[in-house]
Amino acid sequence: MESNKNNYVLLIHGGVGTIIKENMTATKEAAYLETLKMALLAGENVLKNAGKATNAVEAAIKVMEDSPLFNAGRGAVFTHEGKNEMDASVMDGNTLDAGAVAGVTQIKNPISVALQVMQHSNHIILIGEGAERFAKQQGCELANPSYFYDEDRFQQLKMAQLHNEVILDHSGESAYQEGNIENEGKKFGTVGAVALDTHRNLAAATSTGGMTNKQFGRVGDTPIIGAGTYAHNKTCAVSCTGHGEYFIKNVVAYDISALMEYKQTTIQEAAEYVIHEKLKQQKGEGGLIALDQKGSYTMAFNTKGMYRGVVSKNHSPKVDIYK
Ligand code: ASP
């Protein structure tokens, strides 16, 4: 808990999955930790200069979107047709305003367009071409489909197709490298951030490429307010990662908020129940980061690992991968 005045707190995640040390090279592990740290510092820079939580979560997520390591922006996974369709959303816990994009293929930083949707449109979700046209009008940076091409990810798609599976993968390494689909295929690489700023406002944001080999037009939980992302100053800010369909069915992000609002649970109790009981019973794999106005937070996941990090006014950046 980080409850002193003028405190700020930022949490990030870079996806969950069967992330185990034995399957990770030292170089790769270092690269992940370094990028997570850079993301924390980018967000912290906004917060320590009295910036808004919404801008801090955007700044942190942009760093991860620009890295090929994570399944968002540049590192987005491939659809069945070999394309990259991305989803992102952001929510302001003070105003309950939100913005999201879904199924975008040419936007360099989907999270920035989601923020523009929140700030400069009358809507909450824009999809595909409409979102891209809006992004252009707002002067957001577009990218050629080739910008999102990554050879390893493309091989993952080929393997997924060979096994006729839809998989969720965060990493550049082959999901099938050990020939063990059960263990290697289940990786979820969405990125997310939640922040408490010095004005005591909360915000949450999430960005993803979705699932490898997903069907054309499939939209996951990430851009669905209440499923993958939710923020309310009264309760908490939440960003989720995992098998999106389960997060939509269980309205996970809002469920955490509702447990706190109606049942007066703590943030830890709410996450414990939803991730370790409710989802687990349904075999819904995933995790979330959540933060309240007092600075209490949780990073809960029911998988082997979750890329994650935290920084606050009183604590320097701390990053982690495994359980
Ligand atoms: N939740 C994301 C989705 O289903 C995937 C992930 O978290 O990696 O689209």
Side-chain angles (χ1 to χ4, degrees):
M1 168 132 41
E2 307 265 354
S3 66
N4 55 335
K5 244 182 145 195
N6 286 331
N7 187 25
Y8 60 77
V9 185
L10 171 69
L11 310 186
I12 58 169
H13 71 73
V16 289
T18 313
I19 311 169
I20 45 179
K21 207 169 167 71
E22 296 84 80
N23 292 340
M24 185 80 85
T25 65
T27 327
K28 192 136 231 169
E29 184 180 283
Y32 275 111
L33 294 174
E34 185 55 31
T35 312
L36 288 170
K37 211 172 257 178
M38 276 166 50
L40 283 175
L41 292 177
E44 182 184 27
N45 198 35
V46 174
L47 296 172
K48 73 174 173 216
N49 291 303
K52 289 182 173 176
T54 45
N55 293 327
V57 289
E58 181 204 14
I61 286 186
K62 271 177 89 170
V63 172
M64 294 185 280
E65 283 182 339
D66 290 341
S67 160
L69 292 174
F70 300 96
N71 171 20
R74 187 165 162 215
V77 297
F78 287 97
T79 65
H80 183 72
E81 278 82 10
K83 301 215 165 97
N84 309 97
E85 291 177 12
M86 296 163 283
D87 305 329
S89 69
V90 58
M91 185 162 184
D92 182 336
N94 182 33
T95 58
L96 300 188
D97 287 334
V101 293
V104 295
T105 58
Q106 305 182 44
I107 291 173
K108 181 168 176 276
N109 292 109
I111 194 60
S112 300
V113 182
L115 192 60
Q116 294 285 327
V117 171
M118 177 177 111
Q119 291 169 338
H120 302 293
S121 82
N122 297 320
H123 308 294
I124 290 184
I125 308 183
L126 292 180
I127 62 162
E129 250 182 82
E132 280 159 4
R133 191 185 299 175
F134 172 79
K136 257 184 242 169
Q137 284 161 358
Q138 297 301 316
C140 295
E141 199 173 341
L142 300 184
N144 245 308
S146 63
Y147 169 79
F148 303 100
Y149 187 85
D150 180 88
E151 183 54 31
D152 288 338
R153 291 235 188 265
F154 196 70
Q155 290 313 318
Q156 279 168 20
L157 170 66
K158 295 283 142 212
M159 292 307 284
Q161 289 178 333
L162 208 66
H163 292 90
N164 202 15
E165 277 222 338
V166 179
I167 60 162
L168 300 97
D169 196 332
H170 63 79
S171 71
E173 68 216 274
S174 168
Y176 295 97
Q177 62 185 0
E178 305 293 326
N180 182 345
I181 305 163
E182 268 310 301
N183 283 332
E184 287 301 302
K186 293 199 178 132
K187 293 175 178 173
F188 310 72
T190 294
V191 304
V194 294
L196 169 68
D197 65 28
T198 53
H199 314 285
R200 297 182 56 74
N201 290 321
L202 292 168
T206 317
S207 179
T208 190
M211 304 159 73
T212 298
N213 201 22
K214 69 182 179 183
Q215 190 173 327
F216 172 54
R218 180 261 186 187
V219 174
D221 59 314
T222 300
I224 310 294
I225 299 303
T229 305
Y230 193 74
H232 193 335
N233 276 0
K234 209 166 137 183
T235 54
C236 60
V238 187
S239 169
C240 303
T241 174
H243 197 151
E245 279 69 10
Y246 290 91
F247 284 75
I248 297 174
K249 284 198 279 196
N250 291 284
V251 204
V252 169
Y254 181 72
D255 204 23
I256 301 288
S257 171
L259 281 166
M260 292 175 73
E261 184 174 358
Y262 303 129
K263 264 191 129 184
Q264 269 87 50
T265 65
T266 64
I267 201 161
Q268 291 84 6
E269 286 164 351
E272 175 69 29
Y273 173 66
V274 174
I275 295 295
H276 295 289
E277 288 185 42
K278 219 169 160 179
L279 282 184
K280 211 160 179 186
Q281 273 163 22
Q282 300 171 25
K283 297 197 179 2
E285 289 180 300
L288 57 81
I289 50 176
L291 170 68
D292 71 17
Q293 234 187 3
K294 289 192 234 114
S296 291
Y297 65 81
T298 177
M299 299 174 134
F301 51 99
N302 62 25
T303 53
K304 294 249 160 65
M306 175 165 82
Y307 296 104
R308 59 198 188 276
V310 55
V311 67
S312 68
K313 189 174 178 211
N314 307 316
H315 293 99
S316 48
K318 191 172 168 298
V319 291
D320 237 313
I321 299 179
Y322 316 105
K323 219 174 205 160

